[in-house]
Amino acid sequence: MSDEELKAEYMSPRDLSGHGTHVASTIAGGQVSNVSYGGLAAGVARGGAPRARLAIYKVLWGPRGSGSHAGVLAALDHAIDDGVDVLSLSLGQAGSELFETLHAVERGISVVFSAGNGGPVPQTAWNAVPWVTTVAASTIDRTFPTLISLGNKQMLMGQSLHNNASMNISDFKALVYTRSCSMQSLASSNITGKIVLCYAPAEAAITPPRLALPIVINRTMEAGAKGLIFAQYDANILDILTMCKGNMACVVVDFEIAHTILTYLDKTKNPVMKVSRAMSVIGNQVLSPMVASFSSRGPSVKRC
């Protein structure tokens, strides 16, 4: 690791990238009232075990989280010597340190690893040796239904965090279909001031939505679009909704809804659409917890 990478780093357990701080807060974060995301999902936030005591061992450094196997192993040994009860490692695609955790388990310490962020593709789970607990990321008991109105008075539902008055699409805008929203397909259509439908099942099966959506958002915003309808096999992808930032409404829909929109497009000479502001649905009406879309899935393809 270069001195340049360490210049802005904290010489303490605090991390520059925020990853470790985030993970620690999900474990022992204190109770905070009246939190929301721009007025959506209002409620109380807290960690899973607010009274837990944390011992934090920093093994990744710099904005890109660089580290070494030796650093991870040294931290494991320090944790064992300090008498921790549980070891939680939010590290992906670990190698030899997985096997070194066996001596922690032999001392009665529970070891928990992240499954990784390779989802929703199956067989992407990392850290799946028999003596550790490998966990997925999960969603919250909140959902954000967003009403989409077509020019034929048909109403459909997607999800978004579209709650900014400056992005409000209260009147109908022209609707255009640009398949995967590639640079070529966008260049062949005039999307300025229009709402764009990005619907390409074959491409969606190859590129995870958390990787595809930011690219699509940048392309459509640069081309002057007023809104984006982004189609995926599952609209309950809360973890990617925060990527929809800027001055453009962005709604995630499933393939069934997208196909309905496309059918309307094909049958209409001048198709139009408007997008309402998102609503919050909380509690028993929402299936929770569910595996987050970005979380790696099993089964593991690696052998011990």
Side-chain angles (χ1 to χ4, degrees):
M1 190 179 308
S2 67
D3 292 338
E4 192 67 29
E5 289 180 303
L6 293 176
K7 274 187 177 179
E9 185 58 271
Y10 302 102
M11 296 297 112
S12 74
R14 182 182 179 185
D15 62 319
L16 179 64
S17 69
H19 176 256
T21 304
H22 163 69
V23 173
S25 72
T26 64
I27 299 171
Q31 182 169 300
V32 181
S33 301
N34 301 317
V35 298
S36 70
Y37 187 92
L40 294 170
V44 176
R46 68 171 178 84
R51 294 186 179 181
R53 297 177 64 187
L54 297 183
I56 300 172
Y57 304 87
K58 183 174 178 176
V59 299
L60 302 180
W61 298 78
R64 294 177 296 177
S66 301
S68 66
H69 290 283
V72 175
L73 296 179
L76 290 174
D77 286 339
H78 281 300
I80 292 170
D81 291 340
D82 290 341
V84 302
D85 299 305
V86 180
L87 274 166
S88 176
L89 296 92
S90 186
L91 303 171
Q93 208 166 5
S96 61
E97 69 270 15
L98 273 174
F99 298 96
E100 294 299 330
T101 57
L102 184 56
H103 72 290
V105 176
E106 289 175 337
R107 289 167 171 78
I109 300 172
S110 298
V111 178
V112 182
F113 264 104
S114 162
N117 297 332
V121 181
Q123 297 185 343
T124 52
W126 303 331
N127 307 327
V129 290
W131 55 87
V132 306
T133 301
T134 308
V135 298
S138 63
T139 61
I140 58 175
D141 62 342
R142 304 285 195 273
T143 188
F144 307 99
T146 303
L147 183 65
I148 300 169
S149 303
L150 303 181
N152 61 359
K153 298 184 179 180
Q154 192 171 9
M155 296 185 180
L156 306 170
M157 198 68 70
Q159 282 211 80
S160 77
L161 296 177
H162 171 52
N163 197 39
N164 187 337
S166 66
M167 298 189 302
N168 192 32
I169 306 179
S170 56
D171 55 339
F172 284 94
K173 302 292 181 183
L175 176 64
V176 61
Y177 172 49
T178 56
R179 296 175 175 80
S180 66
C181 291
S182 65
M183 294 184 67
Q184 293 82 359
S185 61
L186 290 174
S188 64
S189 305
N190 177 15
I191 68 170
T192 302
K194 300 176 182 178
I195 299 176
V196 179
L197 171 63
C198 183
Y199 173 38
E203 286 82 352
I206 298 171
T207 307
R210 65 186 177 86
L211 298 180
L213 183 54
I215 297 172
V216 169
I217 290 172
N218 288 337
R219 287 174 180 168
T220 49
M221 285 185 64
E222 288 175 2
K226 184 67 175 177
L228 170 66
I229 308 298
F230 184 73
Q232 285 292 312
Y233 36 83
D234 183 3
N236 296 310
I237 309 179
L238 300 183
D239 43 280
I240 69 170
L241 293 183
T242 54
M243 298 176 183
C244 296
K245 297 178 180 179
N247 297 317
M248 181 182 70
C250 173
V251 184
V252 178
V253 300
D254 60 30
F255 286 159
E256 183 177 354
I257 296 295
H259 183 73
T260 300
I261 297 172
L262 186 57
T263 300
Y264 162 71
L265 271 159
D266 290 339
K267 294 181 178 179
T268 308
K269 185 175 181 181
N270 296 304
V272 293
M273 170 188 286
K274 69 177 179 179
V275 178
S276 301
R277 294 172 69 177
M279 301 172 284
S280 295
V281 176
I282 303 170
N284 294 334
Q285 300 178 64
V286 183
L287 292 176
S288 175
M290 294 179 65
V291 176
S293 68
F294 67 86
S295 182
S296 294
R297 267 72 167 166
S300 171
V301 295
K302 295 185 176 180
R303 296 181 178 179
C304 297

